[in-house]
């Protein structure tokens, strides 16, 4: 099937050759073509250029995109959308003065979500999660990473990962799966962290590998959760089985986790609300993508990742939602881009690069999606009629996305 879009007001993120990621001053460059055309063939971007070179041959579908912009779909490289229930009562308690840490210490937080998930059947968990996946697709996300980590028992971690696998099979969006059993210490192992880590490594991990349930391994490396030494054990075990490391790190405290991630050639290090100069320096000239999660900063009222300082130091940065019930119950990438501009002082160009090419890299998908490049998947967005692409972050809380295409097919 061949589709032609013509009269596109501005075609964003055009890259003649696929690039891995953009860093430093290059993040402020968003290549575009004004008054452009794009063609898809069988779900793949087959051609693009200026309207003066628009092909005249016949197409199965012809779309006149006058007044609208086209861009690659958002790449959300960090989410926890498979969960059960919600944490509205904790939210209410936080407004009344309790901190995220107070709530976790009283058995709330991740353990609260784990209890709910353990009591939920796999079918019910799938039904709850697919609603969120459909919601984020409509908000323009065309590739997403989803983590386990609310199971915290062998049975329930596998349940979560099987739900992710089923979502992957049943939806046209690109999905990457991450094994995050080291998310919090379950109650049953309260005074025996070593035993829990041993269970994860010796019992659970081989089953995850056997069923091919994950490509990435993650850990919450944080004071009161898992230490740098624990991180070493988990990442080493994951790597031995071929899982690529990702990390939750420097959310509340900087304890050396960034350096551990780099040592293991982690694909990404995520959160980074608390960054020391040494953490920024360590990330220079590595293959590890720093990922900021401004939805979590907004929702918890904690620091924002120092994007300006990091980009000005020459680093790349990706943006993701962290969609989860406790610290970021929203999967709206349009809001994330607005928050990055408004609260982190990223330019619209930097934010769009961070949410497309750099997000694709943070999921290992940079060859398939994240830019308008011939041969990449036709996962793209058409905006409503807008003056400039700055309208996307400017009109925060609104959705400027009109039409969504996954594998070249319009999603209604
Ligand atoms: O990325 N920080 C660790 N994990 C999640 C939140 C977990 C929760 O509160 O349920 C995050 O923010
Ligand atoms: Fe997270």
């Amino acid at each position: 099937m061949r589709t032609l879009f013509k009269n596109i007001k501005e075609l964003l993120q055009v890259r003649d050759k696929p690039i891995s990621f953009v860093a430093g001053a290059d993040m402020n460059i968003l290549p575009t073509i004004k008054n452009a055309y794009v063609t898809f063939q069988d779900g793949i971007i087959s051609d693009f250029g200026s309207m003066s070179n628009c092909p005249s041959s016949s197409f199965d579908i012809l779309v006149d995109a006058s007044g609208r912009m086209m861009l690659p779909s958002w790449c959300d490289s960090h989410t926890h959308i498979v969960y059960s229930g919600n944490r509205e009562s904790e939210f209410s308690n936080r407004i009344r003065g309790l901190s995220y840490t107070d709530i976790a210490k009283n058995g709330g937080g991740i353990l609260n979500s784990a209890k709910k998930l353990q009591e939920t059947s796999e079918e019910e968990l799938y039904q709850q999660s697919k609603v969120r996946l459909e919601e984020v697709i409509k908000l323009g996300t065309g590739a997403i990473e989803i983590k386990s980590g609310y199971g915290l028992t062998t049975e329930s971690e596998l349940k979560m990962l099987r739900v992710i696998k089923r979502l992957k099979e049943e939806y046209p969006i690109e999905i990457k799966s991450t094994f995050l059993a080291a998310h919090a210490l379950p109650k049953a192992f309260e005074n025996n962290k070593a035993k829990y880590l041993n269970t994860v490594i010796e019992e659970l991990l081989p089953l995850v590998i056997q069923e091919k349930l994950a490509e990435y391994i993650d850990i919450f490396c944080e004071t009161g959760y898992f230490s740098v030494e624990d991180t070493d054990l988990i990442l080493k075990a994951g790597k031995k089985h071929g899982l690529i490391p990702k990390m939750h790190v420097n959310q509340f405290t900087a304890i050396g986790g960034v350096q551990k991630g780099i040592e293991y050639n982690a694909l990404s290090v995520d959160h980074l609300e608390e960054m020391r100069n040494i953490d920024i320096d360590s990330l220079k000239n590595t293959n590890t993508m720093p990922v900021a999660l401004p939805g979590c900063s907004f929702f918890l009222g904690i620091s924002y990742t120092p994007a300006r300082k990091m980009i000005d130091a020459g680093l790349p940065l990706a943006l993701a939602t962290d969609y989860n019930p406790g610290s970021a119950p929203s999967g709206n990438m349009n809001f994330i881009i607005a928050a990055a501009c408004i609260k982190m002082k990223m330019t619209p160009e930097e934010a769009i690069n961070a949410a497309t090419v750099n997000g694709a890299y943070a999921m290992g998908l940079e060859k398939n999606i994240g830019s308008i490049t011939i041969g990449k998947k036709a996962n793209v967005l058409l905006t409503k009629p807008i003056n400039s692409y700055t309208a996307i972050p400017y009109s925060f809380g609104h959705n400027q996305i009109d039409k969504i295409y996954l594998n070249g097919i319009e999603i209604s």
Side-chain angles (χ1 to χ4, degrees):
M1 186 162 77
R2 298 175 74 220
T3 309
L4 169 67
F5 295 82
K6 57 180 202 174
N7 302 322
I8 301 166
K9 180 171 178 172
E10 194 165 1
L11 180 63
L12 313 182
Q13 193 59 288
V14 291
R15 307 275 174 178
D16 289 334
K17 293 213 167 64
I19 49 164
S20 292
F21 57 80
V22 283
D26 289 344
M27 283 198 68
N28 199 27
I29 300 166
L30 180 67
T32 75
I33 301 175
K34 290 196 168 127
N35 196 21
Y37 74 91
V38 167
T39 67
F40 300 160
Q41 172 134 20
D42 302 328
I44 302 290
I45 298 170
S46 46
D47 192 14
F48 64 86
S50 162
M51 269 312 283
S52 53
N53 298 320
C54 186
S56 54
S57 53
S58 66
F59 285 83
D60 303 301
I61 300 175
L62 180 64
V63 182
D64 185 341
S66 295
R68 294 148 198 278
M69 306 206 172
M70 182 183 276
L71 67 157
S73 339
W74 306 130
C75 299
D76 189 353
S77 67
H78 181 139
T79 83
H80 310 246
I81 65 163
V82 172
Y83 63 81
S84 182
N86 63 70
R87 304 237 292 272
E88 286 160 16
S89 61
E90 291 182 9
F91 171 62
S92 183
N93 287 335
R94 271 199 306 106
I95 292 169
R96 291 179 171 82
L98 285 185
S99 72
Y100 182 79
T101 314
D102 296 335
I103 289 166
K105 277 194 186 130
N106 295 331
I110 297 168
L111 295 186
N112 180 357
S113 289
K115 185 165 182 292
K116 289 192 170 81
L117 191 139
Q118 287 160 11
E119 291 163 355
T120 305
S121 72
E122 188 171 319
E123 177 61 28
E124 171 60 20
L125 187 60
Y126 174 76
Q127 294 301 332
Q128 289 189 30
S129 305
K130 77 176 217 183
V131 173
R132 287 184 281 271
L133 186 64
E134 287 171 12
E135 177 205 359
V136 301
I137 290 172
K138 295 227 164 76
L139 289 165
T141 298
I144 191 166
E145 181 258 17
I146 312 173
K147 299 173 197 294
S148 74
Y150 288 125
L152 306 185
T153 62
T154 298
E155 190 194 337
S156 292
E157 280 294 303
L158 291 175
K159 177 164 70 183
M160 280 189 86
L161 290 164
R162 287 179 187 135
V163 167
I164 300 173
K165 190 174 181 186
R166 186 167 161 203
L167 291 170
K168 229 187 249 197
E169 286 160 2
E170 305 211 355
Y171 284 87
I173 182 173
E174 281 276 357
I175 297 179
K176 290 285 188 175
S177 175
T178 300
F179 178 50
L180 174 62
H183 196 194
L185 191 60
K187 260 242 157 319
F189 293 85
E190 208 165 19
N191 296 312
N192 205 343
K193 191 164 64 172
K195 191 160 177 218
Y196 181 61
L197 290 173
N198 193 57
T199 308
V200 170
I201 293 169
E202 300 298 334
E203 185 181 312
L204 187 43
L205 183 56
L207 296 172
V208 171
I209 300 298
Q210 201 182 314
E211 270 192 62
K212 295 195 174 62
L213 290 173
E215 285 143 280
Y216 301 123
I217 187 155
D218 197 341
I219 181 165
F220 188 15
C221 177
E222 182 58 64
T223 308
Y225 291 83
F226 294 99
S227 66
V228 176
E229 292 71 34
D230 301 335
T231 303
D232 190 75
L233 288 177
I234 289 286
L235 299 191
K236 189 182 291 160
K239 262 207 146 163
K240 203 179 105 200
H241 287 282
L243 298 187
I244 297 165
K246 283 167 103 41
M247 276 177 84
H248 282 71
V249 69
N250 288 36
Q251 182 178 2
F252 301 108
T253 56
I255 56 172
V258 168
Q259 288 70 23
K260 186 52 74 182
I262 292 165
E263 183 187 323
Y264 278 93
N265 205 13
L267 181 60
S268 72
V269 284
D270 304 24
H271 272 288
L272 311 179
E273 288 88 341
E274 299 300 328
M275 287 294 271
R276 303 168 298 181
N277 288 339
I278 188 183
D279 298 324
I280 294 179
D281 286 344
S282 301
L283 281 162
K284 288 181 186 164
N285 305 313
T286 69
N287 296 320
T288 299
M289 176 63 68
V291 180
L293 309 168
C296 172
S297 302
F298 175 80
F299 189 71
L300 294 186
I302 61 175
S303 309
Y304 285 83
T305 302
R308 212 37 300 132
K309 204 169 162 189
M310 292 165 70
I311 295 170
D312 293 345
L315 295 184
L317 191 67
L319 288 166
T321 63
D322 197 17
Y323 194 175
N324 77 74
S327 71
S330 164
N332 188 345
M333 282 294 283
N334 306 287
F335 171 73
I336 294 301
I337 289 160
C341 295
I342 297 161
K343 305 300 284 188
M344 294 158 68
K345 303 284 176 239
M346 288 172 73
T347 64
E349 293 77 12
E350 288 172 338
I352 293 172
N353 275 321
T356 54
V357 272
N358 286 3
Y361 178 87
M363 285 186 272
L365 285 173
E366 72 278 10
K367 292 200 171 69
N368 312 58
I369 51 158
S371 64
I372 304 295
T373 302
I374 292 173
K376 281 199 176 182
K377 259 183 197 257
N379 287 15
V380 306
L381 309 173
L382 261 189
T383 68
K384 295 172 184 166
I386 51 178
N387 283 321
S388 73
Y389 56 74
T390 299
I392 298 170
Y394 169 78
S395 54
F396 78 94
H398 289 258
N399 182 3
Q400 297 293 3
I401 306 302
D402 185 24
K403 290 191 178 357
I404 317 278
Y405 295 84
L406 293 178
N407 303 312
I409 294 168
E410 186 183 340
I411 307 292
S412 50

